[in-house]
Structures are given as C-alpha cells and as structure tokens.
Amino acid sequence: MRATVRQAARATVQLVVSAAMTFGCYIFITVLLITAILTATVVGAFMLPETVLLIRRIAGAKRQQTGAWTGLKIPEAYQPLTGTLRQRVRTAVRDPGTLTDFRWMVAYYAYGTLPVLMLPLWPLGLVVDGVWCGLLRRRAVVLPLISRLADLDAHWSTVLLKPSPKAQLAVRVEELVQTRAGAIAAHEAELRRIERDLHDGTQARLVSLSMRIGLAKRAYDQDPAAARRMLDDAQTLAEDALTDLRHVVRAIHPPILTDRGLVGAVRALAASSALSVTVTVDKLTDGHDGPRAPAAVEAAAYFVIAESLTNAAKYSGADRADVHLARARTGLRVRVRDEGRGGADEAGGSGLLGMRRRVAALDGSVTVTSPVGGPTVIEVELPCVW
C-alpha cells in the first residue's frame, strides 16, 4: 500500500503540473486570437513569429515534462526564425513544426482536463484501497488509476508532439547544409595550410638547393674544396626538403595509418607525445586480423586524438592523458581525457572548431566537457559500417 501511495503521489505531481500548463494554454488563447486578427489585417504581422516562438517554448516545456515522466526524450524539429520580418513570417507559416505544435495545443485544450479526474480518486482510493489492501491484502484498485491518467497524458503528448517525418527531413537537410559548409571551410583551410607549408618550407629549400648546386658547378674547376662544401650544404638542404615533404604528407594522411591501422598509429602517437598517455582499446584490432573502419573515419579519429594531445600538452598543464578507442555497433567512439586545468574554449584557437568540422563532415558528433579546474574530456562518435 505504501508503494502504491508513493506512486500515486508522484503521478499527482505530474498531473498538477499538466493542469497548470493547461491553465496557461487557456490564457494563451487570448494571445492567439489577437495575433490571428492582427495578422489577417496585415497590421500585426510582426506578432506572428513571436507568437510561434512562444508556442515552441510551451511545447518544449511539455516535451521536457513528458520526457521526465516516461524516460524517453521527445525530439524537436524546428526551422530557425531568422532574417527579415518577411522571411520570419514565411518560415513560421511554412515550418511543419508550427502545425505540429498548433495541433497539439488544440488537442491539449481537451485532454488537458485529465487532472480533474484525479480529484475524486484520492479520497475514494484511500478508503477503498485502504480496506482492500490493508485488511484483505489484495492489490490496490483505485489509486493506480491516477498513474494511468498520467501515463495517458504522457502518451497523447508524445504522439502529438513527435515531429513529423517532413519536419525531421527539413531539420536534417539544414544540418547537412551546415556540415557541408563546415567541411568545405575545413578543406579550404587545409589546402591553404598545405600551400603555405610547401611555399615557405619545401619550395624555399629547393630554390636554395638549386642555387647551391649551380654555385658548386661554377666553382668546381677553380676551387674544388669550396665546391665540395657547397655540395655538402646542398645535400643537407635536400634532406631538410624531404623532411618537410614528409611532414606535409603525414598531415594529409599519416602513412602509419595505412601500415599499422588506427590502434597502432595511436599507440605510436602516444609514445611520441610529451605527455604520459595510456591507450585502452575495446573490440578493436590492429587492422591485420580484423575489420577496419573506413580510411576517412580512421584519419578523422587520428586527427582528433593528435589535436587533443597537442592541446593538452600546450595548454592544460597536465602530465598525463588517457585515450580510449571503442568499436560500437554503429561506428567508432573516441575519448580523450586529461587531468589539466580545464576551461577549454573553442573561440580561443585551441583547434576544437577544426575538430568539429572534420568530424561533422562524416556526420559524427563531438562532445567537449571542460569545467574550470578540469578534467577535460573530449568524446567523439564517428558513424561507419564495419
């Protein structure tokens, strides 16, 4: 009986909050009517986007309340209301999420009265279930109906507030447009970096090499010793140019990924890091005796780990870091953790923005947790088929 009363009390809180929200929606009818009248006369068209934003907030509050009761998150799918007034009005009218929220609000005016049915159930339940459970040791009959009312309210809200396929498709298209723009920007930045490295490093060394060889050819007959010194300098310049080229090629796609796979490449990266790095692997192999992720996914994971370790060594003040690689059913998961000072900021030029762009281009996600005082944890999920 005690557990039944506790569950009924929890459901009562849920229904009371729903009742308060229903009362707020009844008051909101006035705003809807004023907006509809003024929009029809074109005088108050500016109120339409603001009213739609208010409806979105009310619907969002109901989604959170329902998700807290059911344990299942109800997704949102809205187009952003930005731009000129005309663009905002057009978006507010054409957005499928607006129709979904309006349909829910109209239905909520009806089923939002479910909490009223709870009022007679409490005195009746305390009497009937008190005798039924306390004396006869039977299962409660009346008080569980309060939980069923809360379940019914949550079920109808979930069905009505769930975005339509059209709305989800529109949001997905918007996400792809943004990730495509980010991928193009990252690609252009990478090309500029490669061009700068080649121009300032390799090209300059090759020009100097050509000049040294030319001078050595001229001085060979008259001063063989000087010509030999110039040829030695030219050999040093050639070796430096080769080193620069290796760095450029390694930045494009590290050859070690092809030779040793992601696990071997990350272990080599950890061994050469300025930090003491611990690498743990879950359900992944070195690439020689098991399936591997696509090359683009491995390259993105390698870049994330390399950038994270570099940032940790430069800015965090930590002396050790942990890298975790895991094979999931839907892709590859990477987690890098350091016990540094935290406070990582994407706007501070720490490489997080480039990391997000590279991962977003593969439809992945990046989660950065870095409170002041640490630790800093970077978690990346890269979808792929094994």
Side-chain angles (χ1 to χ4, degrees), residues 60-85:
K62 186 60 180 179
R63 287 188 179 95
Q64 292 181 357
Q65 183 210 10
T66 303
W69 176 257
T70 62
L72 300 175
K73 182 180 179 181
I74 304 176
E76 293 184 353
Y78 296 124
Q79 297 179 13
L81 295 179
T82 57
T84 63
L85 175 61

Side-chain angles (χ1 to χ4, degrees), residues 10 75 138 194 197 200 256 293:
R10 180 170 173 265
R138 301 291 181 88
I194 294 172
D197 291 345
D200 297 342
I256 194 172

Side-chain angles (χ1 to χ4, degrees), residues 202-282:
T202 308
Q203 181 176 320
R205 295 185 189 277
L206 290 177
V207 170
S208 180
L209 171 63
S210 177
M211 293 176 63
R212 293 296 177 90
I213 293 176
L215 292 173
K217 288 173 62 178
R218 293 181 183 179
Y220 185 77
D221 294 332
Q222 299 177 358
D223 191 354
R228 190 176 296 109
R229 288 195 300 271
M230 292 179 185
L231 289 175
D232 291 339
D233 292 341
Q235 183 179 6
T236 301
L237 288 172
E239 293 174 353
D240 292 340
L242 286 174
T243 301
D244 290 342
L245 282 175
R246 290 192 188 99
H247 284 306
V248 173
V249 171
R250 193 176 296 116
I252 297 173
H253 185 83
I256 194 172
L257 278 176
T258 304
D259 299 336
R260 300 175 57 181
L262 180 61
V263 175
V266 170
R267 294 191 188 279
L269 186 64
S272 62
S273 175
L275 305 175
S276 174
V277 182
T278 302
V279 179
T280 57
V281 179
D282 184 14

Side-chain angles (χ1 to χ4, degrees), residues 95-160:
D95 185 6
T98 302
L99 178 61
T100 298
D101 290 348
F102 185 75
R103 181 186 59 188
W104 162 77
M105 184 165 284
V106 171
Y108 197 53
Y109 289 142
Y111 79 85
T113 58
L114 284 175
V116 178
L117 302 178
M118 169 192 68
L119 298 178
L121 292 179
W122 265 109
L124 181 63
L126 292 176
V127 174
V128 174
D129 290 339
V131 175
W132 193 250
C133 297
L135 298 180
L136 301 179
R137 304 295 181 183
R138 301 291 181 88
R139 182 176 297 179
V141 176
V142 179
L143 289 179
L145 295 177
I146 299 176
S147 296
R148 293 182 183 179
L149 287 176
D151 291 338
L152 187 60
D153 176 87
H155 174 70
W156 284 346
S157 297
T158 301
V159 172
L160 292 170

